[in-house]
């Protein structure tokens, strides 16, 4: 790898590019994975773009729940595009290198949209809580202005997280190995590669994951405890089913996203779990953005009805 001096008073030379190990060196397996992830990415693009277009085109979907869902689809598009195209190129190329600047850009974009998604999912849980537990004041509480502020706040938290993580990364020196044992530039493996003091970066990573991740998780948890209590108090089975069906899609998405994310960033590091880490990372970087539009479109009657009306008018 090409290296350049960064400090005259030091013997350290800063790595200008990193090598990504990916998943395997076997050519047949690489082609298989390339085709599988290419199909996944195409479904992700079409599904999320489809959700955004459908929500904009259908007046019956102009409600807070679908306003949040449209932003979630946009965030999934961005976070997936920051990771998957580079991964696909690496499957069919001999050199799996990424420039230092490109690596930092990947860290920033992924951390920005990853944390934004955490808070959008939390806001969607809060929306369902108000709708089910306080239906009479729902139009007042979830006004267009309030929804805009909640979404804007989610993006600002994501931006703060992305900037904080990237700045802490940019202060690290990488003078030894430049091999990242993953398919994209993530913070944890980068910290482990650094030859400088990583205390601050570790603190920023753990604090961000704990403060932002756990606070958004707490909003989801408290909201669903209140929702489940409210649903159980409904006397009719039909009423219970209807109330629960409005939350099922969101709850499925939340379980996959939060489960894998918290597993990745809050667990103790271990060399023996590298392969498990990679596939857990695949789940929340590649699979979840694809599943979100499918979960919401296949399980949601309003979305299916809006799609039917849109296709009939055309």
């Amino acid at each position: 790898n090409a290296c350049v001096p960064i400090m005259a008073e030091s013997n350290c030379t800063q790595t200008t590019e990193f090598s990504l190990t990916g998943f395997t060196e076997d050519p047949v397996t690489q082609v298989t994975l390339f085709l599988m992830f290419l199909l996944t990415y195409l479904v992700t693009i079409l599904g999320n773009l489809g959700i955004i277009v459908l929500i904009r085109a259908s007046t019956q979907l102009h409600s807070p729940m679908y306003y949040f869902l449209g932003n979630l689809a946009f965030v999934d598009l961005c976070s997936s595009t920051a990771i998957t195209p580079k991964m696909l190129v690496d499957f069919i190329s001999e050199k799996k290198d990424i420039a230092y600047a490109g690596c930092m850009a990947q860290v920033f974009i992924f951390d920005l949209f990853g944390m934004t998604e955490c808070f959008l999912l939390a806001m969607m849980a809060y929306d369902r809580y108000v709708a089910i537990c306080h239906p009479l004041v729902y139009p007042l509480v979830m006004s267009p202005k309030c929804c805009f502020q909640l979404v804007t706040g989610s993006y600002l938290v994501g931006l703060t997280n992305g900037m904080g993580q990237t700045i802490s990364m940019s202060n690290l020196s990488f003078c030894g190995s430049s091999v990242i044992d993953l398919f994209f530039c993530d913070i944890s493996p980068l910290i482990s590669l650094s030859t400088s003091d990583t205390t601050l970066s570790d603190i920023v990573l753990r604090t961000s994951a704990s403060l932002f991740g756990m606070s958004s998780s707490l909003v989801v948890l408290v909201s669903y405890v209140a929702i489940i209590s409210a649903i159980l108090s409904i006397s009719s089975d039909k009423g219970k089913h209807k109330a629960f069906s409005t939350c099922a899609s969101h709850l499925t998405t939340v379980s996959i996203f939060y489960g894998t994310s918290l597993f990745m960033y809050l667990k103790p590091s271990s060399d023996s779990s590298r392969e498990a880490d990679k596939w857990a990372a695949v789940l929340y970087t590649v699979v979840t953005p694809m599943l979100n539009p499918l979960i919401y479109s296949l399980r949601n009657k309003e979305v299916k009805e809006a799609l039917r009306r849109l296709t009939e008018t055309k």
Side-chain angles (χ1 to χ4, degrees):
N1 290 339
C3 297
V4 292
I6 57 166
M7 294 176 65
E9 69 273 17
S10 172
N11 291 326
C12 173
T13 53
Q14 179 80 349
T15 298
T16 59
E17 60 182 26
F18 296 96
S19 297
L20 302 167
T21 61
F23 295 92
T24 178
E25 294 295 326
D26 180 58
V28 176
T29 308
Q30 283 189 337
V31 172
T32 304
L33 289 173
F34 170 80
L35 294 173
M36 184 178 73
F37 286 124
L38 176 61
L39 178 62
T40 302
Y41 185 57
L42 291 175
V43 173
T44 301
I45 297 295
L46 293 173
N48 285 292
L49 279 177
I51 286 287
I52 292 169
V53 171
L54 184 63
I55 289 171
R56 286 186 173 274
S58 304
T59 53
Q60 70 190 88
L61 299 182
H62 290 178
S63 65
M65 177 178 167
Y66 296 105
Y67 176 63
F68 291 125
L69 180 57
N71 279 278
L72 182 67
F74 172 73
V75 166
D76 281 335
L77 270 177
C78 294
S79 60
S80 179
T81 302
I83 304 295
T84 312
K86 169 61 180 167
M87 180 176 64
L88 291 173
V89 170
D90 287 344
F91 277 126
I92 55 176
S93 61
E94 288 186 17
K95 286 189 69 179
K96 298 176 174 61
D97 295 336
I98 183 169
Y100 176 86
C103 197
M104 291 301 108
Q106 217 174 42
V107 167
F108 173 71
I109 294 169
F110 185 70
D111 281 17
L112 189 165
F113 290 110
M115 192 57 71
T116 301
E117 180 154 355
C118 277
F119 276 82
L120 281 176
L121 290 171
M123 296 308 103
M124 292 171 79
Y126 176 69
D127 171 72
R128 292 299 83 205
Y129 159 73
V130 179
I132 292 172
C133 300
H134 304 284
L136 296 179
V137 296
Y138 180 77
L140 181 65
V141 175
M142 301 306 294
S143 64
K145 181 182 178 181
C146 177
C147 291
F148 175 78
Q149 290 172 339
L150 290 174
V151 167
T152 303
S154 298
Y155 282 109
L156 287 175
V157 171
L159 181 62
T160 302
N161 181 60
M163 289 180 66
Q165 302 288 9
T166 310
I167 290 169
S168 72
M169 284 281 95
S170 65
N171 290 325
L172 297 180
S173 298
F174 300 93
C175 310
S177 172
S178 60
V179 178
I180 300 173
D181 191 14
L182 201 60
F183 56 91
F184 72 104
C185 287
D186 198 16
I187 297 173
S188 296
L190 280 170
I191 290 175
S192 66
L193 284 181
S194 177
T195 51
S196 56
D197 184 11
T198 61
T199 305
L200 179 61
S201 296
D202 277 318
I203 291 172
V204 171
L205 174 60
R206 300 291 175 180
T207 302
S208 176
S210 302
L211 181 64
F212 293 143
M214 297 304 285
S215 62
S216 57
S217 302
L218 191 62
V219 172
V220 173
L221 183 63
V222 172
S223 296
Y224 272 102
V225 167
I227 287 168
I228 291 168
S229 298
I231 290 174
L232 291 176
S233 66
I234 298 173
S235 55
S236 68
D237 291 337
K238 186 178 179 181
K240 287 180 181 177
H241 181 267
K242 184 179 179 181
F244 183 74
S245 65
T246 65
C247 305
S249 301
H250 179 255
L251 195 55
T252 305
T253 302
V254 163
S255 301
I256 297 171
F257 182 82
Y258 276 101
T260 52
S261 299
L262 293 175
F263 168 78
M264 281 295 294
Y265 292 109
L266 295 182
K267 68 172 184 58
S269 58
S270 169
D271 291 337
S272 61
S273 63
R274 290 278 173 84
E275 286 303 310
D277 289 354
K278 287 182 183 180
W279 289 105
V282 166
L283 200 57
Y284 76 85
T285 59
V286 180
V287 178
T288 301
M290 177 195 70
L291 288 179
N292 284 349
L294 295 177
I295 291 169
Y296 278 97
S297 58
L298 294 176
R299 293 187 60 91
N300 195 301
K301 290 181 180 179
E302 287 181 322
V303 171
K304 287 189 282 189
E305 178 65 19
L307 184 60
R308 185 185 64 80
R309 289 186 182 182
L310 200 63
T311 51
E312 283 180 356
T313 54
K314 294 185 177 182

